[in-house]
Amino acid sequence: MTTTGDKILDTALSKIGEKSLFTRELETALLEKQVDFVVHSLKDLPTELPIGLTIGAICKRDNPRDALVLRSDLSCDGLSSLPAGSVIGTSSLRRAAQIRRKYPHLQISDVRGNLNTRLRKLEEEKKFDALVLAVAGLERMGWKDKISHVLEPSECLYAVSQGAIAVECRALDEDILCLLAALTDFPTLINCVAERAFLRHLEGGCSVPVAVHTEIKGNELTLAGGVFSIDGTDAVLDSMTTNISCISLQRKEVKKFTTKAFAAVVASEEYQASLEAAEQLGIDLAVRMMASGADIILSIAKKQTAEEIMKQEATKSAALKELDTLGSNNCN
C-alpha cells in the first residue's frame, strides 16, 4: 500500500503542510476493516490518532541516533572536522537546526527520496559531501558499513520515537490487542510515551525543530528535550527525571489493558503507573520549556514553515498555469 508521503519525493516534508503523510491511507484501510492492524515507523505516527484507532504495540527500539554518512572519497572524524563550506544533505528541520547551531561552518541542503535515492545523490551525483540519516534505517537495510560517525545526543538530539516500530489497530478490537501485546518492549514503550507526550503538549511535528533523548537507569526515567529556531540560532534545552516501576511481563498473556491511552498508546494494565509517570514527565518538561521561551520559538518556526508552504504552493500554481497556457497555444 502506497501512502501520500511515499509519492512525494521532491519536497521536504516540512514544506508540504499536511499531517499523516505516511499513515492516512493505512488508517483508512483499518477503519474500513480491510486490514486488522498496520505497522508503522512510530516517528511517522501523529500524537493524536483518528477516533477509533490506537497503538497496540511498540516493539523494541533500534538505535535512535542519527548518523553521518560521508561521500566515499572523503574522510573525517565527524561533523566538526569537515572543511568549511561542506554541504550536508538532510530534509529534517530538526537535524538542520542543530547542525547549523553547533557547526555554523557547514552548509545545509535539502535532500528527499528513499535511502537508495539519497545515497545515489551523494555518491554518483556528488551533490553533497555528506548526509545525515537515521542509524536505524541504515542498519535495517544492511548498510551499517556506510555509517562514518554516529552523532551523540550532545551533537544532535534525535526525533521523537525515532528507531521504534509501532503497530496500530482498532481501539475496541480486544482480540487483536491481546495478540499484539506480546510484541511490546517495556523500556521502548515508556521512553516513547514520554517523548510523544512532550511533543503533543508542545503541539509540534515535522514542521518545527523539536528533538529529544530519553534514558532509563534503574527506576529513573530521564527525558531531555530541545526546541530550536529553524536557523538554529535560538534554542531552549532542558531535562527532567521521574521515578518509574520497571516491569517485565516476560511475554505472558495479557487480558486487561490500561483504562486510557497514553499519547495514543495502550498497553497491559500492569504498566499503568509507569505510563502515567512517563506521560506526566513529557508534559511537565514541555510546560517548563515553554515558560522558558520555547513557545515563542515554536510560534515563529510554525509561521516561517507556513510561509514556505505558501511559497511552494504559489510556485506549483504558477507552473501549472504556464503548462495550461502552453497547451492552449499548441491547440491553437
Side-chain angles (χ1 to χ4, degrees):
M1 189 176 292
T2 303
T3 66
T4 302
D6 295 321
K7 297 173 184 176
I8 302 173
L9 300 177
D10 59 349
T11 305
L13 299 182
S14 60
K15 297 179 182 178
I16 297 171
E18 293 184 36
K19 293 183 179 180
S20 307
L21 285 170
F22 292 99
T23 62
R24 185 181 299 112
E25 290 81 0
L26 300 173
E27 289 174 334
T28 297
L30 256 182
L31 290 168
E32 293 179 353
K33 297 188 176 181
Q34 297 173 20
V35 297
D36 291 315
F37 57 86
V38 292
V39 181
H40 302 279
S41 169
L42 185 51
K43 183 174 68 170
D44 294 334
L45 271 176
T47 54
E48 294 186 5
L49 301 182
I51 294 173
L53 299 182
T54 192
I55 297 170
I58 302 179
C59 305
K60 186 174 181 179
R61 192 179 205 169
D62 292 321
N63 191 332
R65 291 174 170 79
D66 291 316
L68 178 68
V69 179
L70 283 170
R71 205 170 64 225
S72 57
D73 60 335
L74 299 176
S75 63
C76 74
D77 296 327
L79 287 166
S80 61
S81 60
L82 280 169
S86 295
V87 180
I88 310 300
T90 179
S91 60
S92 162
L93 290 180
R94 170 189 59 82
R95 292 170 181 147
Q98 292 183 84
I99 293 169
R100 287 189 177 108
R101 180 175 179 82
K102 194 167 183 66
Y103 305 108
H105 68 291
L106 302 176
Q107 294 183 23
I108 303 296
S109 182
D110 278 344
V111 56
R112 280 284 286 128
N114 57 33
L115 280 177
N116 283 305
T117 299
R118 297 184 189 201
L119 291 170
R120 187 186 71 246
K121 290 178 180 179
L122 174 70
E123 293 293 351
E124 297 177 16
E125 300 177 21
K126 299 188 184 299
K127 292 184 176 181
F128 311 98
D129 296 298
L131 302 175
V132 177
L133 302 167
V135 170
L138 290 164
E139 290 184 343
R140 288 170 188 159
M141 292 294 290
W143 293 338
K144 186 175 181 179
D145 61 316
K146 295 184 183 297
I147 296 174
S148 307
H149 176 70
V150 175
L151 304 183
E152 294 300 321
S154 58
E155 292 181 280
C156 189
L157 296 171
Y158 44 79
V160 166
S161 301
Q162 184 160 300
I165 298 294
V167 188
E168 186 180 15
C169 64
R170 290 180 291 276
L172 299 179
D173 196 335
E174 292 188 5
D175 289 341
I176 295 298
L177 283 169
C178 289
L179 177 69
L180 298 177
L183 299 175
T184 291
D185 175 71
F186 177 77
T188 302
L189 171 72
I190 297 303
N191 286 339
C192 288
V193 163
E195 294 171 15
R196 285 171 60 82
F198 172 70
L199 182 66
R200 183 172 64 182
H201 202 78
L202 289 174
E203 298 182 356
C206 66
S207 63
V208 291
V210 175
V212 295
H213 171 66
T214 46
E215 187 174 20
I216 295 175
K217 285 187 176 180
N219 290 324
E220 290 189 336
L221 168 66
T222 298
L223 169 64
V227 173
F228 304 86
S229 61
I230 288 176
D231 64 5
T233 56
D234 294 322
V236 174
L237 297 158
D238 203 349
S239 65
M240 293 180 73
T241 299
T242 192
N243 289 320
I244 58 169
S245 300
C246 289
I247 303 169
S248 174
L249 294 186
Q250 298 179 341
R251 299 188 181 278
K252 70 180 182 181
E253 186 177 2
V254 176
K255 293 184 177 179
K256 292 185 178 181
F257 295 88
T258 51
T259 54
K260 59 165 280 189
F262 298 89
V265 181
V266 296
S268 166
E269 67 175 359
E270 294 188 47
Y271 293 160
Q272 179 106 14
S274 292
L275 287 168
E276 288 174 349
E279 183 179 57
Q280 194 59 50
L281 177 65
I283 293 170
D284 290 346
L285 181 61
V287 168
R288 191 162 81 180
M289 289 176 62
M290 290 172 76
S292 299
D295 55 342
I296 297 172
I297 294 174
L298 285 169
S299 177
I300 294 171
K302 288 177 181 178
K303 182 179 178 181
Q304 290 174 329
T305 301
E307 290 172 351
E308 283 295 320
I309 291 169
M310 290 177 65
K311 288 179 184 177
Q312 192 89 20
E313 291 300 319
T315 300
K316 287 181 180 179
S317 179
L320 288 172
K321 286 181 180 179
E322 186 175 347
L323 285 173
D324 287 342
T325 301
L326 288 172
S328 297
N329 290 339
N330 288 336
C331 288
N332 295 331

